[in-house]
Amino acid sequence: MKAKTVQLPDGTTVPAIGQGTWYMGERNSEFRSEVNALKQGLDAGMTLIDTAEMYAEGGAERVVGEAIAGRRDDVFLVSKVYPHNAGGAKAITACEQSLKRLQTDCIDLYLLHWRGSIPLHDTVAAMEKLQQAGKIRRWGVSNLDTQDMQSLWKVPGGMKCMTNQVLYHAAARGIEFDLLPWCEEHAVPVMAYCPLAQAGQLRHDVLTAPVMQQIAKARGVSSSQIALAWVVRSGNVIAIPKAVQPQHVKENAAALTLNLTEDEIAQIDKVFPAPRHKTPLDMV
Ligand code: NDP
């Protein structure tokens, strides 16, 4: 079966499931296994890697740099700038430092990590400057709710935003009320973080939910794979699960070819219903 992909507004195709890196690069003793996990994921088709200058204060970018060494062209590299660095000369310095840690001269997609106090106008200007200098190919945002996206669309050049990376999984469907429809209407794919409903020590009950386990058992796959197939079901969402254990990496990559049926989606809807009203954007 064909691996699922998502198209960015500029026509670039990326895999619907990539690899996250939060909590990588924290400990030297884990460095090698984290590098190997990312390499395994690349080999298996999860060629989009998401990282950030924030993760382990550059440590995760160092892991990524090692994992992509010698195969940069096979990778779609996403990194994020701290809000307090997202403007003026600070943005240029932050990006250059990320590039050094990533051992590359260009980031494919550079995101504003969340909205801080620097005006969006200044962030867009900095992103354009980085683009003109060839240090980034595209830019996007993260953790922006509908109103923020509307504000961004009013900024000159703001409509060049390639994605909005937000929290999304079956137990956190708030974005389906208005943000996801807004993004679909404006052809901005959403990049779903915490697609396995986990973040550090935080655990939601998605993977252990009987509905996920029953569907998984009937399909002969894991409930994580059902959770991922659910997140990317529309074709407009990219999931970026983070995995270090080889079995996890293998499962996540295999979910690229897993399609849920209408009936399975309806079963999940019953347990994890779509939102009926606006809720504040979920974040970790
Ligand atoms: P995830 O939902 O991806 O969960 C990661 C956890 O799930 C890890 O403990 C991992 O274990 C485990 N796991 C991975 N695959 C499987 C599997 N097949 N079965 C069972 N368990 C599995 O949470 P994250 O918080 O890591 O989110 C994903 C990525 O999104 C981040 O890594 C980061 O890149 C990005 N992110 C962005 C944010 C933002 O503000 N923009 C905020 C949070 C995350 P193990 O590692 O041991 O294999």
Side-chain angles (χ1 to χ4, degrees), residues 20-22 50 55 80 113 142-143 165 193-199 203 207 224 240-245 248 251-252 284:
T21 61
W22 194 20
D50 175 76
Y55 302 160
K80 309 183 207 80
H113 207 148
S142 176
N143 295 305
Q165 184 180 113
Y193 72 71
C194 301
L196 295 167
Q198 311 193 26
R203 294 280 186 275
L207 305 188
S224 322
I240 44 167
K242 171 259 178 187
V244 176
Q245 295 180 48
H248 288 166
E251 285 179 13
N252 298 348
V284 289

Side-chain angles (χ1 to χ4, degrees), residues 18-24 34 37 49-52 54-55 60 78 80 111-114 141-143 164-169 191-203 207 222-225 228 239-253 282-284:
Q19 307 187 72
T21 61
W22 194 20
Y23 285 101
M24 288 190 183
E34 291 164 354
I49 297 182
D50 175 76
T51 189
M54 186 187 98
Y55 302 160
V78 185
K80 309 183 207 80
L111 309 182
L112 166 65
H113 207 148
W114 64 91
V141 294
S142 176
N143 295 305
N164 186 10
Q165 184 180 113
V166 291
L167 189 150
Y168 184 51
H169 55 71
M191 203 177 280
Y193 72 71
C194 301
L196 295 167
Q198 311 193 26
Q201 300 310 310
L202 197 111
R203 294 280 186 275
L207 305 188
S222 72
S223 57
S224 322
Q225 291 172 295
L228 288 177
I240 44 167
K242 171 259 178 187
V244 176
Q245 295 180 48
Q247 177 61 22
H248 288 166
V249 178
K250 193 174 160 194
E251 285 179 13
N252 298 348
D282 283 305
M283 276 185 225
V284 289

Side-chain angles (χ1 to χ4, degrees), residues 112-133:
L112 166 65
H113 207 148
W114 64 91
R115 192 169 178 181
S117 54
I118 292 181
L120 288 174
H121 185 279
D122 293 348
T123 299
V124 173
M127 292 294 192
E128 286 180 343
K129 207 164 171 195
L130 286 168
Q131 236 174 340
Q132 281 152 17

Side-chain angles (χ1 to χ4, degrees), residues 10-29:
D10 68 353
T12 306
T13 299
V14 295
I17 300 177
Q19 307 187 72
T21 61
W22 194 20
Y23 285 101
M24 288 190 183
E26 303 262 351
R27 289 189 299 272
N28 283 342
S29 56

Side-chain angles (χ1 to χ4, degrees), residues 93-158:
T93 308
C95 183
E96 284 172 349
Q97 285 172 351
S98 285
L99 289 171
K100 210 177 280 175
R101 291 187 290 261
L102 290 162
Q103 302 181 44
T104 186
D105 52 11
C106 190
I107 291 168
D108 295 298
L109 179 57
Y110 199 40
L111 309 182
L112 166 65
H113 207 148
W114 64 91
R115 192 169 178 181
S117 54
I118 292 181
L120 288 174
H121 185 279
D122 293 348
T123 299
V124 173
M127 292 294 192
E128 286 180 343
K129 207 164 171 195
L130 286 168
Q131 236 174 340
Q132 281 152 17
K135 295 182 196 294
I136 65 170
R137 293 209 168 86
R138 310 163 186 81
W139 65 269
V141 294
S142 176
N143 295 305
L144 259 58
D145 207 345
T146 316
Q147 278 194 348
D148 296 317
M149 290 304 285
Q150 286 164 341
S151 304
L152 179 61
W153 247 237
K154 290 186 188 128
V155 169

